[in-house]
Amino acid sequence: MVTITEYNLRKIEDLCKALGYKVRYEKGNFRTGACKILSTKVIVVNRFSSLDVKIHSLIEIITGLDFDESLLDEKQIVFFRLLKQTKLTI
């Protein structure tokens, strides 16, 4: 289980960055999601979402991606595997 802290949010953002995704926080009336815009990888997170919704949304997106684990260092691989084991309840 991943605790809901700013530190873990930063770790998840770093994991996204290592995978080539840019995390952007935007205001608006939308759900968090991932998209590709002209071959760029962007994850857009609603700025006004609570910390737990931000973390759970990013976990859901990251665990659904297909990628090569060789892009990650050892600590990030361990953290990613922990995220995959996290049971999401929003």
Side-chain angles (χ1 to χ4, degrees):
M1 182 68 184
V2 176
T3 56
I4 306 301
T5 62
E6 286 286 336
Y7 175 72
N8 280 332
L9 178 61
R10 299 294 167 243
K11 284 176 61 174
I12 295 169
E13 290 170 350
D14 291 342
L15 188 62
C16 291
K17 185 177 180 180
L19 296 173
Y21 282 83
K22 179 178 181 181
V23 178
R24 291 178 40 190
Y25 293 93
E26 302 290 338
K27 63 181 180 176
N29 188 13
F30 62 90
R31 293 190 62 209
T32 298
C35 62
K36 276 189 173 180
I37 303 171
L38 299 174
S39 75
T40 60
K41 299 175 183 179
V42 178
I43 298 172
V44 180
V45 179
N46 191 329
R47 178 188 309 179
F48 299 114
S49 295
S50 63
L51 181 61
D52 63 330
V53 171
K54 289 176 185 176
I55 288 175
H56 283 98
S57 297
L58 288 173
I59 291 172
E60 184 179 348
I61 291 166
I62 289 174
T63 56
L65 297 175
D66 287 328
F67 63 88
D68 183 12
E69 282 191 3
S70 68
L71 298 170
L72 306 176
D73 63 30
E74 289 181 32
K75 287 183 180 180
Q76 289 173 327
I77 290 172
V78 170
F79 185 63
F80 174 73
R81 290 181 181 159
L82 174 69
L83 293 179
K84 285 182 80 165
Q85 295 175 359
T86 300
K87 190 171 226 177
L88 298 177
T89 55
I90 296 179

